[in-house]
Amino acid sequence: VFPIVVIWARSPERAARNPAMLVLFGTEEEPGIVWRFVGMVWGVRRALVQVGEPVGVDEFLEKYGDEPPKLQAKRLKLTLRRWAFREQQVVRGPRQKSHRWLRRLVLRSSRMQDVIKDASRDEGVATEVIELKLSKKFDRMAARFSYSVLMVMRGITSWVLGLLYKEIDIREEDLERIRAAKREGVAVLAPCHRSHLDYLLMSTILWDHDIVPPHVVAGENLSFFPFGPLLRRSGAFFIPRRFTDKKFISLFSAYVTQLFREGYMMEFFIEGGRSRTGKLLRAKLGVLRNTIDAGVESRVGRSLAEVSWLPINIAYERVAEENPYRRELGGENKAKESFGEVVKASKVLFQRHGRVSVRVAEPIKLSELMKGWSCRWEEMGKEQQSEVLHGLGEEILWRINQQAVVLPSGLLATTLLAQMAPLMTVKSMERRTECFYDFLCNVGAIPEAEAEIDYRPLNKAAARFIQARFTKRTHTPEGVVYEVDPSKRITLEYYKNGIVHYFVPASLLSIAIEANGEEVFSLSELSADLIFLFYILRYEFVHDTGSRAQLLEERALENLSKVGVLSTQGQADNGDDQWRVESHVAVTEFAELTMNFIESYGLVLFGLVYFSEHKYSNLSKDIQKFGRTGGGRLRAGSDRLLGDGLLHTQSRHTLAGRR
């Protein structure tokens, strides 16, 4: 039996409190004459049909077969009504309470009343004064969802995204994961943060596919006029980058809990801010903690109150903030968000940015998370809660990475940066591209349906790189060669870093192979170097939380052998499997993919030694200058570290690689 719902209006139903309004208009379930007339005139233009989750009659009868038919029919009717209600919630969201009503519910909650009383006692002022202050903070923070403003914003964002991107790629299975999470209770979207367009993109996609847009956690830096009020009425609510006021922490937590109780979908960026490097940043755990608190408090004892975190990967063929990111990573200060900066950035509207791909990973459910807890959340100590939060954050990041789409700009940037030499021939470029493409197919980053490489999008990406002067194409007597512009290399690094996590274990293994210097080797001979590399880069890359270093090493060996870089060579006398290097060139190319990270760590290490004896004004910027002009000082720093016993020769060889 399929429950079918005809939805006459996309706007959420308003929760009326005025008795006179109820008499005149009624409710949507029991409408008054005015409401019926308005619905007849206007509703038919926006009506849509939703087919809900089917109820299997055989399974239903098997479960309730012992009951009389009348009771069975009643149960089936209630089940179908419940399923129909869930479909309506997916499209329209919960009944919308006024801003004043929500504020009253939050401030009058038992948690906030305790906070107000404690603050009144500690500060020696009346509770009304504390409540008034918190009320003003609530007004500056909370969303003021408006369907009419959302309609206007949807038109603007669709126009902007249409100008920038020729295609927004999202699969039906990704949308269905969001719908399923919304049906079951509260869906918490946790996308990576690549661009300011992320929140506009997600809300537009959901709206266009008949899913209610989420309430989005945004930074206070985006609340400037006129975009702040527009975003607030589109579902954004604003918080400071750092929580220092304990009363505000409680207020924010109470607000999130109330949103969960109402049944709103929520979105927050697990990294906190935008990634300027193209790879995932470390998980920020503050808002994540609030979602657990709210989920535990709002779902207990409720059959339809599951909380699901949905990791989402957003991959841009070309990110709109290309130039600002390059300037900031080069040492310039970040420009403060303002209306003037938006006007300056509007010139990107006249440039085409290719494709953007959105992928939604399997959700992480609170009910499943709770099964692994030794006690209830509120009974855990701080250390135990911190362990749960770190584990959940790492799992979300890992699932985001596993959904990363390999776009032409990412693959081409990876190919261009996999060498130290400034020039690259077309022939070596094609060989390297095909090797990396096969590798990505083997690790599951590219679907089987796309196993054959298509050079047309790669040629378009190459033309764009040349036009943007990231690379230069030159005709020489030996043929056509490509050269990367050192001043813009960091932008190519951005696109490489979007997929570099697929290569990390194999790349670190290749560095260890180079440091070992032998053509035939066993894994045990490289384990010490590999463990060292995994250790120093443990905060740089996201790995599968269930995989140990040995498993990552074995996968790297297997994947490199599949693309012909290594081959098995039998067993040694001690029983270890032996491996042979089939292509030293390919080993060097794989090693180069993460060598820049290791060199950066080395630069910081040597820079700290140098600046321990010299003055500096801004340490990070001065170390950047030191790296550009250091030369002999880097060698001097290395020699001093060796002399002090802080860096042994084998580790130094591993860091540098045998070039």
Side-chain angles (χ1 to χ4, degrees), residues 511-540:
I511 293 173
I513 292 171
E514 281 200 320
N516 183 55
E518 301 294 335
E519 188 168 338
V520 178
F521 64 91
S522 62
L523 188 57
S524 60
E525 297 171 359
L526 309 180
S527 289
D529 280 350
L530 273 171
I531 291 172
F532 172 70
L533 290 171
F534 279 124
Y535 176 75
I536 63 171
L537 296 173
R538 65 194 184 281
Y539 297 127
E540 200 68 51

Side-chain angles (χ1 to χ4, degrees), residues 249-311:
I249 294 174
S250 299
L251 179 68
F252 174 70
S253 183
Y255 179 58
V256 173
T257 301
Q258 188 61 41
L259 292 179
F260 277 32
R261 283 176 174 158
E262 297 293 327
Y264 285 106
M265 186 188 299
M266 181 174 160
E267 177 183 334
F268 78 103
F269 297 101
I270 187 71
E271 301 165 274
R274 290 171 295 156
S275 171
R276 269 70 170 174
T277 62
K279 68 179 185 60
L280 289 181
L281 306 176
R282 297 285 295 171
K284 298 294 189 296
L285 305 179
V287 177
L288 187 62
R289 176 188 289 275
N290 291 125
T291 60
I292 295 181
D293 290 339
V296 170
E297 187 174 342
S298 62
R299 78 173 293 279
V300 174
R302 302 188 183 192
S303 59
L304 273 180
E306 179 67 89
V307 177
S308 304
W309 290 273
L310 291 145

Side-chain angles (χ1 to χ4, degrees), residues 7 10 16 62 106 116 118 136 144 163 361 371 374 428 477 526 600 616 632:
I7 299 173
R10 287 289 304 271
E62 185 178 344
V106 170
I116 290 170
D118 291 343
K136 291 179 179 178
R144 298 196 180 196
L163 285 177
K371 291 177 183 177
S374 58
S428 61
L526 309 180
S600 298
Y616 60 88

Side-chain angles (χ1 to χ4, degrees), residues 17-187:
R17 299 189 69 192
N18 190 324
M21 297 294 287
L22 287 173
V23 171
L24 186 60
F25 289 98
T27 65
E28 291 193 12
E29 292 183 354
E30 298 180 3
I33 187 169
V34 176
W35 183 258
R36 271 181 281 178
F37 178 76
V38 172
M40 179 187 68
V41 173
W42 297 104
V44 71
R45 301 182 182 182
R46 302 181 178 90
L48 58 94
V49 177
Q50 287 286 108
V51 181
E53 187 177 346
V55 179
V57 178
D58 289 343
E59 296 175 6
F60 184 86
L61 290 175
E62 185 178 344
K63 189 174 182 180
Y64 302 107
D66 297 335
E67 297 180 354
K70 188 174 182 179
L71 184 56
Q72 289 176 347
K74 187 176 181 179
R75 284 189 182 277
L76 182 58
K77 175 184 175 181
L78 290 174
T79 301
L80 291 172
R81 285 176 62 87
R82 183 177 169 188
W83 262 225
F85 173 77
R86 287 167 57 171
E87 290 307 313
Q88 183 167 286
Q89 290 284 93
V90 169
V91 178
R92 304 183 64 189
R95 290 183 177 179
Q96 186 179 354
K97 293 184 173 71
S98 67
H99 175 79
R100 185 180 300 176
W101 192 350
L102 273 178
R103 182 176 61 198
R104 184 182 296 110
L105 288 172
V106 170
L107 293 179
R108 297 295 168 84
S109 65
S110 58
R111 178 194 307 179
M112 290 310 300
Q113 286 298 303
D114 292 340
V115 170
I116 290 170
K117 290 176 183 177
D118 291 343
S120 174
R121 183 181 62 253
D122 295 341
E123 298 177 20
V125 296
T127 56
E128 291 79 6
V129 175
I130 301 297
E131 187 168 341
L132 180 60
K133 290 181 179 178
L134 288 173
S135 178
K136 291 179 179 178
K137 289 183 178 181
F138 181 88
D139 291 342
R140 289 195 297 269
M141 171 190 67
R144 298 196 180 196
F145 193 84
S146 168
Y147 179 77
S148 56
V149 172
L150 191 65
M151 288 279 288
V152 174
M153 286 294 291
R154 184 262 176 187
I156 295 173
T157 55
S158 294
W159 174 71
V160 170
L161 293 172
L163 285 177
L164 289 173
Y165 297 101
K166 68 176 183 180
E167 180 187 2
I168 297 176
D169 170 35
I170 184 168
R171 304 169 301 184
E172 181 56 36
E173 63 190 84
D174 299 309
L175 295 166
E176 188 54 36
R177 283 173 178 166
I178 298 175
R179 292 192 188 101
K182 184 72 180 75
R183 291 185 191 111
E184 293 179 359
V186 176

